[in-house]
Amino acid sequence: MGNRFQIKERFAEGAQYIDGRLRSGTSGQSHTVVDPATGDDILTYELASTADVDEAVAAAKRAFPGWSGSTPGERSDALHRLAAVLTAQAEDFAYAESLQCGKPVKLTSEFDVPGTIDNTAFFAGAARHLQGQAAAEYSGDHTSYVRREAIGVVGSIAPWNYPLQMAAWKILPAIAAGNTIVLKPAELTPLTSLMFAQAAQEAGLPDGVINIVTGAGRVAGEHLVGHPDVVMTSFTGSTAVGKRVAEIATATVKRLHLELGGKAPFVVFDDADLEAAAHGAVAGSLINTGQDCTAATRAYVQRPLHDALVARVAELMETVRLGDPFAPTTDLGPLVSHAQRDRVAGFVERARDYATVVTGGEIPQDELAEGAYYRPTLISGAAQDSEIVQSEIFGPVLVVLPFDTDDEGLALANDTPYGLAASAWTRDVYRAGRATREIKAGCVWVNDHIPIISEMPHGGYKASGFGKDMSAYSFEEYTQVKHVMYDNTGVPAKDWHRTIFGDR
């Protein structure tokens, strides 16, 4: 990939970004970022302590009056400049994201990085649209209007599966609305979050507006969420950890946004385009090596198409090319770590007792053996209540189950605790309409699965959490709504006062 910069030299000063500069953590504990494709060490850094979190929050608090006091146009201009810096450094971002995550470079350079740049441009525009209800005389004697104001210091936690995009989804709406932020990325994948903060400084954003603390969840993460000067927490990750975040945040009455796990259904009706559904199932289940909370994981196929779809999906999965993430022909990279690979393999091995592994289900033993690779896996014959159907696997595994009636298919789609995303495959507009109404998920695609756009919200139902990323809906969550009411009469003794004292 062109001119690859040196990670160790770039982050020699440390993996904390506080008040406009890189520095080392002070926890006394180190962590090593590992290339999951090779097992090689990329960067060893000192983790953040609670004191580092305190300093980052203090920097954000100092920066808040000036940043929130800037005009929407000034914040918009700054984000437009940031989009330009990100564009100029796109190759570096794609390289670092592929290196730390094992993502194929065609994914980082065509999806992760362009998506982040587009998000930045979107929120640059949104910064100028802090809208409230129009002024009017609702009581007859008063004029009311609504102000949308910045809320303060936001403390956010991002996951390891899309480090750059998730950092942007947390940072951009917060700062566009005039807030300042402290972000904790996953310890496994901090590089592009730090680079994003550096790019913001290059774009002229004031020191302290964006701060990054890279530390352990139980130390830095919990301290950030519970910090008394943090007024809002946004967390993306597992439902189990999300419950812990909610406990800490609610103890200090913070605003809370949770984007949690998913187990997306992929519902194929008997009139669907078989070839389109098969291609969609492979792409939707294998994106980011299946490490995507919206990935297709449960394909419910109406019985007349079931066997043909299983056969075609298996055929297509066997063409998927595993390999070096930096090779342009590589389709599928490793999982993020050997531990994650072994976790996925465990799900599949246990499923052999009650289901059929149609294809895949293997750790490569060839030249890829040193990496965290796992072959694309298709499973059939599992029961609806089995672990492989109900639990979030977060790997390149798709389970296919049959259904008979439309009622049954939609009921099965809703039969997990999760509700983040889903898709319906049909040529019938009425079937499609019913599916979009009845499937309980924050996003329902029709005849596609996975595409996201900056203008539309992303977030879940049920155990998948609440709150939205991207879009104007996300932007509004980072603002405080204030009602302002003016008396228009100038009358000292108002008629309503008699309900408190005196007579009319």
Side-chain angles (χ1 to χ4, degrees), residues 37 130 203 254 295:
L130 278 170
K254 296 188 194 312

Side-chain angles (χ1 to χ4, degrees), residues 90-157:
E91 187 174 294
D92 284 351
F93 275 96
Y95 166 67
E97 195 79 336
S98 290
L99 187 66
Q100 68 180 349
C101 300
K103 296 170 183 272
V105 72
K106 68 178 182 179
L107 181 66
T108 59
S109 61
E110 296 180 35
F111 181 74
D112 297 71
V113 175
T116 299
I117 294 169
D118 187 69
N119 271 202
T120 306
F122 173 82
F123 282 108
R128 290 181 177 268
H129 292 88
L130 278 170
Q131 296 178 342
Q133 192 168 1
E137 288 68 49
Y138 296 100
S139 77
D141 292 334
H142 306 81
T143 296
S144 289
Y145 69 91
V146 168
R147 289 177 55 86
R148 284 197 174 271
E149 299 178 346
I151 57 178
V153 177
V154 177
S156 293
I157 300 176

Side-chain angles (χ1 to χ4, degrees), residues 35-36 50 101 111 115 119 263 274 397 400:
D35 178 353
T50 57
C101 300
F111 181 74
N119 271 202
K263 191 71 179 174
L274 177 64
V397 180
V400 183

Side-chain angles (χ1 to χ4, degrees), residues 262-263 335 339-357 361 363 374 377 379 382 386-399 418:
K263 191 71 179 174
L335 287 110
Q340 180 65 13
R341 181 203 63 189
D342 293 345
R343 178 179 179 275
V344 171
F347 275 103
V348 175
E349 291 310 304
R350 291 189 296 274
R352 292 183 191 275
D353 293 337
Y354 55 81
T356 300
V357 177
I363 296 172
Y374 196 76
T377 301
I379 293 175
S386 62
E387 177 191 52
I388 203 81
V389 174
Q390 292 291 324
S391 298
E392 187 173 29
I393 301 169
F394 233 54
V397 180
L398 177 66
V399 184
Y418 301 107

Side-chain angles (χ1 to χ4, degrees), residues 110 116 121 132 165-167 220 226 232 255 302 308 329 336 418-419 475 477 479 496 503-504:
E110 296 180 35
T116 299
Q165 286 197 307
M166 295 298 102
M232 177 179 174
R255 186 176 297 194
Q302 207 150 25
T329 55
V336 74
Y418 301 107
F475 186 49
E477 292 192 23
T479 65
W496 72 267
D503 300 318
R504 176 173 286 174

Side-chain angles (χ1 to χ4, degrees), residues 50 184 187 215-223 241 244 248:
T50 57
K184 192 198 90 65
E187 305 97 297
R218 292 192 177 275
V219 179
E222 292 197 2
H223 191 65
V241 178
R244 176 60 179 158
I248 299 170

Side-chain angles (χ1 to χ4, degrees), residues 200-476:
Q201 185 184 49
E202 289 184 43
L205 274 76
D207 293 347
V209 171
I210 300 172
N211 305 274
I212 310 293
V213 289
T214 308
R218 292 192 177 275
V219 179
E222 292 197 2
H223 191 65
L224 177 61
V225 173
H227 199 289
D229 289 332
V230 170
V231 298
M232 177 179 174
T233 290
S234 177
F235 169 81
T236 297
S238 71
T239 298
V241 178
K243 291 177 181 178
R244 176 60 179 158
V245 169
E247 290 173 2
I248 299 170
T250 53
T252 50
V253 199
K254 296 188 194 312
R255 186 176 297 194
L256 184 60
H257 168 212
L258 298 174
E259 198 265 273
L260 307 177
K263 191 71 179 174
F266 185 100
V267 183
V268 183
F269 294 97
D270 58 13
D271 68 326
D273 182 324
L274 177 64
E275 194 68 8
H279 279 81
V282 174
S285 63
L286 299 185
I287 184 172
N288 203 36
T289 318
Q291 299 167 124
D292 186 313
C293 46
T294 63
T297 59
R298 301 177 289 139
Y300 296 102
V301 186
Q302 207 150 25
R303 205 169 294 273
L305 287 186
H306 176 270
D307 292 353
L309 186 79
V310 169
R312 184 60 175 139
V313 169
E315 185 178 46
L316 290 172
M317 278 189 171
E318 289 165 5
T319 70
V320 172
R321 299 163 296 183
L322 280 68
D324 176 5
F326 293 103
T329 55
T330 293
D331 298 320
L332 198 73
L335 287 110
V336 74
S337 68
H338 288 78
Q340 180 65 13
R341 181 203 63 189
D342 293 345
R343 178 179 179 275
V344 171
F347 275 103
V348 175
E349 291 310 304
R350 291 189 296 274
R352 292 183 191 275
D353 293 337
Y354 55 81
T356 300
V357 177
V358 180
T359 188
E362 298 172 344
I363 296 172
Q365 297 303 312
D366 51 18
E367 68 276 6
L368 302 178
E370 296 301 316
Y373 289 90
Y374 196 76
R375 296 202 183 280
T377 301
L378 180 65
I379 293 175
S380 67
Q384 174 66 14
D385 61 356
S386 62
E387 177 191 52
I388 203 81
V389 174
Q390 292 291 324
S391 298
E392 187 173 29
I393 301 169
F394 233 54
V397 180
L398 177 66
V399 184
V400 183
L401 300 89
F403 70 92
D404 291 303
T405 67
D406 290 16
D407 288 351
E408 181 189 8
L410 295 174
L412 290 169
N414 285 327
D415 186 29
T416 71
Y418 301 107
L420 186 59
S423 63
W425 297 75
T426 176
R427 292 182 173 98
D428 187 322
V429 66
Y430 298 104
R431 268 179 161 169
R434 182 185 177 192
T436 61
R437 291 191 302 273
E438 295 187 13
I439 294 176
K440 304 304 180 187
C443 175
V444 180
W445 293 283
V446 177
N447 295 326
D448 208 344
H449 194 107
I450 285 299
I452 54 174
I453 50 175
S454 298
E455 291 82 0
M456 288 290 119
H458 175 86
Y461 284 32
K462 303 189 293 185
S464 292
F466 49 83
K468 301 298 179 185
D469 287 313
M470 299 194 297
S471 82
Y473 296 97
S474 170
F475 186 49
E476 289 176 357

